[in-house]
Amino acid sequence: NFQLILICLMGQTFSDCNVCQTNQVACINSTSFHLCFGDGTPHRDQLYHCLEGFDCTNLTAICVQKSGQRPPSCGDTSKCGQCSANINYLFACQSRGIFQMCYGATRPTGKFGYCPTGTVCDATSTAICVPEVEGQALTCDLN
């Protein structure tokens, strides 16, 4: 019984970007989506946005209030550009592969840096760019 509950919860939290979900939307990031209309294809002619403070999910309501217990279906962007995401305020991830230095300040400054191919920006690491691993949590899940 516990395993069934866990499987149900897992099914509500993780999905791929730009893929039609059971609620007939394809989240393109943590707050925006395209409609699917039951044909399994995201219709990109109209882009919809969740209200401020809401995440795009695979739940019936589509946009659900942000929660630390439930990440968005696609692309967590809550830590993008946040120096505080790194314990030493060293840098901020601006996307999956772009970073900017913070030098201990609360706002990033200066030129953008680019992670080498096959790596992603990871604010939990002092290495800035780490090897990309399928299914890993990303600091700033924007392409």
Side-chain angles (χ1 to χ4, degrees):
N1 200 12
F2 175 73
Q3 288 176 329
L4 180 60
I5 291 170
L6 185 61
I7 290 169
C8 288
L9 288 174
M10 285 173 50
Q12 291 181 351
T13 57
F14 300 105
S15 185
D16 292 324
C17 297
N18 296 307
V19 174
C20 291
Q21 304 173 119
T22 56
N23 62 353
Q24 298 307 311
V25 302
C27 299
I28 65 162
N29 58 38
S30 62
T31 59
S32 302
F33 59 93
H34 295 290
L35 296 177
C36 295
F37 302 115
D39 64 2
T41 304
H43 291 264
R44 293 181 170 86
D45 54 324
Q46 179 70 46
L47 180 63
Y48 297 88
H49 305 281
C50 297
L51 295 173
E52 182 75 29
F54 285 74
D55 283 332
C56 183
T57 71
N58 64 351
L59 302 174
T60 305
I62 302 172
C63 296
V64 177
Q65 193 165 12
K66 289 182 189 238
S67 164
Q69 285 75 43
R70 185 204 35 76
S73 278
C74 163
D76 184 359
T77 58
S78 63
K79 295 180 183 170
C80 295
Q82 302 293 316
C83 294
S84 59
N86 179 263
I87 193 164
N88 296 322
Y89 285 72
L90 179 63
F91 64 95
C93 297
Q94 299 289 5
S95 74
R96 296 170 68 101
I98 300 173
F99 61 91
Q100 201 171 12
M101 300 309 292
C102 295
Y103 305 110
T106 57
R107 292 182 174 267
T109 186
K111 293 183 177 183
F112 291 106
Y114 299 89
C115 292
T117 302
T119 65
V120 293
C121 185
D122 181 4
T124 64
S125 168
T126 56
I128 303 177
C129 299
V130 299
E132 186 169 17
V133 178
E134 188 176 335
Q136 78 191 92
L138 297 167
T139 302
C140 180
D141 198 0
L142 288 174
N143 288 327

